[in-house]
Amino acid sequence: MNHHTGRLFGATVIAAVLVSTLMPSSSASATTGVMQIDADTTLTEDHAGQIVINADNVTLDCAGHRVTGAVAESGIELENRIGVTVRNCDVSGFRYGIYVEGSSGITLEQNHAHHNTLGDLPAGIAMWGSSGNTIIDNNATDNGSDGFVFGTDSDGNTTTGNTATGNGRNGFFFWENDSNSFSDNEARANIDHGVVLGRSSNGTFTGNTADQNVRSGFSVTSTFGNTLADNSAVGNGEYGFLVAEVDDTDITGNTAASNGVDGFLTDGTGGTVSGNEAHRNGDSGFRNSGARTYTENSCTGNLLAGSTPSGLCQEEEVGLVDPETGEWRLRHSPGNVTRFY
């Protein structure tokens, strides 16, 4: 099995080999060793050891059973495959829970990759050089490095409804890829950032949540042409949205609240920052050092100021009562405050 430089899995001592040559929709009773999948397969027991997909257009359904190991290998491995589905697998104890390389038309759904901590930069689900795939409703929890990795040349993938929690580095890590769709995912309590997007372009990141990560909710660096819309970053240790050396990127309708430093820290040129909200952050709601267009952003209760420089947002006194007059102020849309007694 060939891997990219820097991602060699190392030698494996194979105790036993179980070869699955079952007819489609058959069941496999798993034991130990390396299981080779050549046809549609459903597990009926837990399996101790690797599972390697050797055929195109097949489905592995673990039916909730566990795939466990104690080696720096991949728990479930797909290389140079087309049209494979992996679902309902609980994978732990490897370097990568699920590893996909050089493959397309792959569907990963409802898998749980957790406590994969062995070897260099271990991750729950890792994808390299693979495009046009669907990653839906998976969980990556307590892995040694990242929850989900989308490495170089993993373009045009759709990632929806996944959760990354308590991983040793980042929840979701995108690096040197293009045109990915990332929506309705959650990244919580990861040791670095919730979502990292680096050296990538033309991606759409919408409706995601990144809360209580040790560093930033969203870290976007050295990219261009992306869209960040309707995302939420709450209670992160540093920034809600750290957007550095980023050009021609639209940042619209996002919320950053109760983050340790700034709600939004941006530089770069081009793109619009509009309709965002920054509330109760440790420093500024919005901080900008680039050339962008800021419109209809709102700030409330940030410790230092609404924005630096001033004018990037409308600082609103909302949810307050004036004890002298008895007047209440409540905001019901950006820039629109209702006053009443």
Side-chain angles (χ1 to χ4, degrees):
M1 294 178 286
N2 295 320
H3 298 269
H4 291 310
T5 302
R7 296 193 297 278
L8 294 173
F9 290 116
T12 303
V13 178
I14 302 174
V17 176
L18 180 60
V19 179
S20 174
T21 57
L22 304 174
M23 297 299 291
S25 300
S26 296
S27 298
S29 179
T31 53
T32 61
V34 177
M35 176 180 287
Q36 310 282 348
I37 300 297
D38 299 301
D40 289 353
T41 302
T42 301
L43 298 189
T44 60
E45 299 179 27
D46 294 344
H47 177 69
Q50 285 183 278
I51 297 179
V52 179
I53 310 295
N54 286 329
D56 296 335
N57 302 309
V58 299
T59 295
L60 168 65
D61 189 342
C62 294
H65 292 293
R66 300 174 61 198
V67 179
T68 59
V71 291
E73 301 279 351
S74 302
I76 299 174
E77 181 174 293
L78 298 83
E79 287 194 58
N80 302 314
R81 299 270 66 92
I82 298 172
V84 172
T85 296
V86 177
R87 63 165 64 103
N88 300 324
C89 298
D90 183 304
V91 192
S92 63
F94 298 93
R95 180 186 181 189
Y96 300 127
I98 300 175
Y99 180 83
V100 180
E101 181 176 340
S103 300
S104 62
I106 307 302
T107 298
L108 305 179
E109 59 181 348
Q110 298 183 351
N111 300 292
H112 185 197
H114 60 98
H115 297 96
N116 296 287
T117 59
L118 302 177
D120 184 40
L121 299 177
I125 295 176
M127 185 170 290
W128 295 86
S130 298
S131 300
N133 304 295
T134 300
I135 303 92
I136 184 169
D137 295 338
N138 302 281
N139 293 321
T141 307
D142 296 319
N143 296 288
S145 183
D146 301 308
F148 296 78
V149 175
F150 298 86
T152 302
D153 296 328
S154 293
D155 306 326
N157 297 299
T158 299
T159 305
T160 303
N162 302 280
T163 302
T165 306
N167 296 288
R169 292 185 66 194
N170 309 294
F172 298 86
F173 185 81
F174 291 82
W175 186 256
E176 293 184 342
N177 41 56
D178 301 320
S179 303
N180 284 297
S181 174
F182 185 78
S183 62
D184 300 318
N185 302 285
E186 297 185 6
R188 299 182 186 276
N190 298 288
I191 299 304
D192 277 353
H193 308 284
V195 179
V196 173
L197 178 62
R199 296 185 183 179
S200 301
S201 62
N202 302 316
T204 302
F205 290 69
T206 58
N208 304 288
T209 300
D211 293 350
Q212 300 177 348
N213 299 285
V214 173
R215 299 187 65 187
S216 300
F218 295 83
S219 174
V220 184
T221 58
S222 302
T223 71
F224 67 90
N226 297 290
T227 297
L228 302 175
D230 302 320
N231 303 289
S232 175
V234 177
N236 298 288
E238 296 180 357
Y239 303 95
F241 294 81
L242 172 61
V243 183
E245 298 180 1
V246 172
D247 298 327
D248 300 322
T249 291
D250 292 326
I251 304 170
T252 60
N254 303 284
T255 299
S258 302
N259 299 289
V261 188
D262 297 325
F264 295 82
L265 174 64
T266 63
D267 68 11
T269 61
T272 298
V273 181
S274 64
N276 302 285
E277 301 182 11
H279 308 306
R280 303 178 304 282
N281 296 287
D283 284 352
S284 297
F286 292 81
R287 189 185 301 269
N288 177 51
S289 60
R292 297 181 179 277
T293 300
Y294 280 75
T295 61
E296 297 183 347
N297 300 293
S298 62
C299 304
T300 303
N302 299 288
L303 184 62
L304 291 186
S307 61
T308 302
S310 62
L312 302 182
C313 68
Q314 176 67 41
E315 181 73 19
E316 298 171 348
E317 295 180 348
V318 299
L320 302 176
V321 61
D322 186 336
E324 294 184 0
T325 65
E327 181 185 63
W328 285 83
R329 305 183 186 102
L330 294 176
R331 180 180 55 80
H332 56 80
S333 63
N336 194 341
V337 176
T338 297
R339 298 169 182 266
F340 61 93
Y341 293 93

